[in-house]
Amino acid sequence: MSNRYLFTLATCLVLLFSPLPIFAQELKAIEEGAKKEGKLNLYGSIREDEGKAIFDTFEKKYPGVKLDYFRSSEDKLVSRILTEAKAKTYNFDVLITTAAAFLKSFGLALKWSPPSASGIIPDLLDPDGMTTPVYINTNVIQYNTKLIAKADVPKSYEDLTHPKWKGKLCAEDSDFEWFVGLQAFMGKDKALDLFKRIAANQPAVRNGHGLVSDLVAAGECPIAINNYGNQVARAQKKGAPTDFVAINPVVTIVAPAVVSKNAPHPNAAKLYANWITSKEGQEFIVKNGGRIPVRVDVDPDPPRLTKGLKLHVASRLEGKDLKEVQALYRQIWQGR
Amino acid sequence: MREGVELIRNWFRPDTLILGGVVLVVAYLAMTPLAMLIYGSLQSGFMVGPGEFTLANYIEAYSDREFYSLFLNSFIYAIGVSIFTFLIGTILAWVCERTNTPGRKLFAVLAVAAYIIPGVLLTISWILLLSPRIGLLNNLLTTLFGLAESPLTIYSYWGMIWTASVHLYPLNFLIMSAAFRSMDSSLEEAAWAAGANNLTCLWQITLKVLRPALLSTILILFIRGIESFEVPALIGIPARIYVFTTKIYEAASGFPPALGLAGANASILLFISVLGVFLYQKMTAQKESFTTITGKGFRPRIIDLGRGKYLASAGCILFFMVTLFLPVLALLGTSFSRHMVALTPEAFKNFSLEEYRFVLSYPIITRAFRNSVILAAGSATVVMFLTSIIAWITVRTKIPGRWMLDALTFIPIAIPGVIMGVSMIFVYLTLPIPIYGTLWILLVAYVTLYLPYGIRVASATMVQIHKELEEASTASGASWAQTFFRIVLPLLLPGFLSGWIYVAIISLRELSASIFLVGQGTEVLSTVVFSLWDGGSISSVAALGVLMTFFLIVLALIVQRWQRRLGILRE
């Protein structure tokens, strides 16, 4: 009898404690594998100057793994990966960008979730378990604090329709999620009408959120109709005169990491995906890049990037839907 | 004739193999991109899904609402660029070659210097100068004249045309300088004798004598305008002025990549460009029938501008201050701040060298520098080697069909860089040659693009070398290869070197084809600049730009000294 009791207890104990050692074992194997591979090809959209410190830290933590970065904007990265796949040159190991989830439907993503994913805000997780959130982008209005008086700071999108902003607005050329999100909140007709009235102020349309943020900070464009909250936070850290207004509900875009199914350095890929979503990695991207973290135990800096805001996670558009939205977006903002 | 027959008869001699190999390589380089571009544009789902024969890409391109505005925009822009560039270059060339303006020797050097700065950098510095709110030039003008609003904006046709023209005019300056220098001035002398003043003479006689040269120059500038990428991409897109090159870039690099559509649009642009080059060839061929550039050995008279010469000098100084000094100043100013700023005295309070530290320590930038240098040297060497042999065949031998070889080598001049980029993707995603994503694909693209430039220099040099030296060598029992490498090539060397330098410099600046072909590890300087700008690291772009400009100026000075020592004639 007592034997049976002991056995049950032992089984319980094993069940209780086994996840940890198994994770630890898996990580150890990955780390050793990565060292043997010696290299990691990372594709992503974060700025070079922001990335450099992050990569240096990773290389220092895992000596023997040399990180090589390739930066481009999200669409161009996915487009490049598809072209590479067509050429059968499998070069990238991990892709971290907002459009990364597209790789799922092309069969280029590995179904794998890092151990550290357990600390990520559950709402942000991919139900298929093929992508792992790394940071989020919030869609906010950005303005230049020197050029826009306190009283003039827009409090709603409606405020941007005022003719006094004619020629003073700018927009990014691929904010499709924000565009669709607002249509969902307000109703399509009402939203499109609002967009058209804002567009009457002839916003300058640029490619790249970093560029738009820099243009606002420099005063070239006093107000960006939409930009990413983290870009504003980053500019502020560099001493640029800029701030943001978040309007609820805030359309939020998840930038996930996708490990390549054909990764030349699969272990290094997993090691990076795990580190960048760990508490340490997340704290680092907050401190260094002004990024908005995805973990329950890490706060953004400043906290008001997400605190008190109603975040609405946007779903990615694909195929025909994407094409239609792209056409409508261009028609409204770029008049073409 | 005998040599040709002999060459054909002895297929297995090493000489014949070398010659045959070169012919095959050139034919491959010139033809595959075009063939694959057309093939790719006729495929459905080149990237995604099954590929079937279809005209859908052409239908989509033609039925696009934007198609006709693309046509219109491209033409307005290209015509504007050709006329404006032509005016700047011709006036400068006239001042430097035909007048007694003080400082004209220096101006002639400065006029070529603008060509050294890569287009992507010059475009960015003009954005820093002419942005409506933060542009340095705009701020200067508003303060000087107490204006309420900025008078100028870069985001317009004028901004695009101006920026492209101040970059392109050296090409026109060189062509027109040569024309002014070598023209027969007896007609002008007659006009002066008949009492015409300088201006009447310039208008009524000089420009009319040079008319054939003028028209063909405007045409080649038009082709350059319609092919250009940097200005339409960096200024045209924000200004909502889309042209063919930017449309192709968007289609090929957007998501999902519409390579077929890019190919269809590229075919249309290619047609325009080929037509232009064809007309240009016809014009320049015709020119010879009423040539005024004869063997009569005298230099055209230098015109005394009287007091006007100081005015001309001041005008030139102002022009170079604005087009050379200010852009470099804008880059320099921006490179000292941590983020993009309006360049006011206040901005320099936050003086920092952080961006230089970043640029110099960032491994991708040093790697891009290395790649650029390797590619420049590699493409220059391959181009000059191939074209020297081609030139030998077309100039020396009487092999039937050698005109075709000449034509083949010249074809790529009609291929815009953007199209070369898209075509290369088509070729190396279809053929089982695994060079996509390596430096080789860039090398192949550069070599193909610059063959026409190489062949021009090589043929011109080959014509000057008398055949008897080769004959002496052959008579002494040397094989063709021995003769070519030990006699012909050394004699060609001065021309070979100047061609080499020219190709190396234009390779260093190449952006429009590279942007489609670079990948991780194969970045080049121009694409790194483009990517940094795209990501909003403007101060880093500026710091890198300052370093690049500095490097290129030093390089140009070394080349100049070296050329003088070797006694190479500058073309």
Side-chain angles (χ1 to χ4, degrees), chain A residues 112-239:
Chain A
W112 181 79
S113 200
S116 58
S118 56
I120 294 174
I121 301 166
D123 284 354
L124 302 178
L125 286 170
D126 174 21
D128 302 339
M130 292 174 93
T131 71
T132 313
V134 175
Y135 55 85
I136 53 173
N137 295 331
T138 54
N139 286 274
V140 298
I141 301 174
Q142 184 189 5
Y143 64 95
N144 181 300
T145 50
K146 270 195 195 152
L147 297 175
I148 306 296
K150 261 221 163 92
D152 278 341
V153 172
K155 285 166 200 72
S156 66
Y157 288 114
E158 191 65 37
D159 285 354
L160 297 175
T161 62
H162 197 284
K164 71 179 168 189
W165 301 127
K166 191 160 189 154
K168 295 190 174 171
L169 303 178
C170 59
E172 212 274 342
D173 72 355
S174 64
D175 281 335
F176 307 127
E177 291 77 14
W178 166 78
F179 186 71
V180 173
L182 253 59
Q183 289 176 38
F185 306 148
M186 298 173 64
K188 189 172 175 179
D189 293 342
K190 245 177 114 183
L192 290 184
D193 176 61
L194 170 73
F195 291 147
K196 276 179 195 151
R197 282 182 295 128
I198 299 177
N201 282 330
Q202 298 184 327
V205 178
R206 303 301 187 88
N207 175 259
H209 293 93
L211 181 62
V212 169
S213 168
D214 240 14
L215 292 171
V216 174
E220 176 56 45
C221 155
I223 300 179
I225 301 164
N226 189 52
N227 203 357
Y228 291 160
N230 53 284
Q231 290 286 357
V232 189
R234 172 165 178 76
Q236 283 176 331
K237 279 201 176 122
K238 279 194 162 187

Side-chain angles (χ1 to χ4, degrees), chain A residues 41 47-48 68-69 71 76 78-80 86-87 91 167 203 205-207 214 218 220 238 333-334 336, chain B residues 46 65-66 131-134 155 238 240 242 249-250 255 340 362 364 367 429 518 520 531 534 536:
Chain A
N41 293 337
R47 283 156 67 140
E48 276 91 348
D68 203 340
Y69 183 52
R71 197 212 79 86
K76 286 176 199 152
V78 183
S79 170
R80 161 162 298 276
K86 172 99 185 170
N91 184 56
V205 178
R206 303 301 187 88
N207 175 259
D214 240 14
E220 176 56 45
K238 279 194 162 187
W333 298 114
Q334 292 166 284
R336 63 177 189 132
Chain B
F46 185 79
R65 287 183 302 117
E66 275 177 31
S131 284
R133 272 178 212 85
I134 57 158
Y155 299 109
R240 305 176 185 203
Y242 296 88
Y249 174 63
E250 263 194 3
F255 183 82
M340 193 180 183
Y362 193 50
I364 291 177
R367 183 166 73 195
L429 290 196
V518 297
Q520 190 171 38
S531 161
D534 194 48

Side-chain angles (χ1 to χ4, degrees), chain B residues 330-347:
Chain B
L331 283 182
L332 200 65
T334 308
S335 71
F336 292 135
S337 70
R338 295 299 316 278
H339 52 86
M340 193 180 183
V341 283
L343 291 169
T344 53
E346 199 195 343

Side-chain angles (χ1 to χ4, degrees), chain B residues 145-163:
Chain B
F145 300 107
L147 303 172
E149 290 230 341
S150 302
L152 306 166
T153 174
I154 188 124
Y155 299 109
S156 61
Y157 275 121
W158 286 117
M160 289 171 72
I161 290 169
W162 166 260
T163 311

Side-chain angles (χ1 to χ4, degrees), chain A residues 37-99:
Chain A
E37 289 157 6
K39 200 167 176 247
L40 167 64
N41 293 337
L42 173 68
Y43 285 21
S45 295
I46 60 171
R47 283 156 67 140
E48 276 91 348
D49 52 346
E50 173 186 347
K52 189 172 182 293
I54 299 172
F55 309 149
D56 287 351
T57 311
F58 175 76
E59 284 182 346
K60 210 173 274 170
K61 188 167 168 80
Y62 300 104
V65 186
K66 205 186 149 339
L67 194 155
D68 203 340
Y69 183 52
F70 182 74
R71 197 212 79 86
S72 195
S73 54
E74 52 270 344
D75 284 2
K76 286 176 199 152
L77 280 173
V78 183
S79 170
R80 161 162 298 276
I81 287 170
L82 285 185
T83 315
E84 284 174 0
K86 172 99 185 170
K88 299 204 170 54
T89 46
Y90 299 110
N91 184 56
F92 90 100
D93 296 308
V94 189
L95 169 70
I96 303 180
T97 190
T98 49

Side-chain angles (χ1 to χ4, degrees), chain B residues 320-339:
Chain B
F320 288 117
M321 286 286 278
V322 171
T323 60
L324 275 181
F325 181 68
L326 274 185
V328 176
L329 191 73
L331 283 182
L332 200 65
T334 308
S335 71
F336 292 135
S337 70
R338 295 299 316 278
H339 52 86

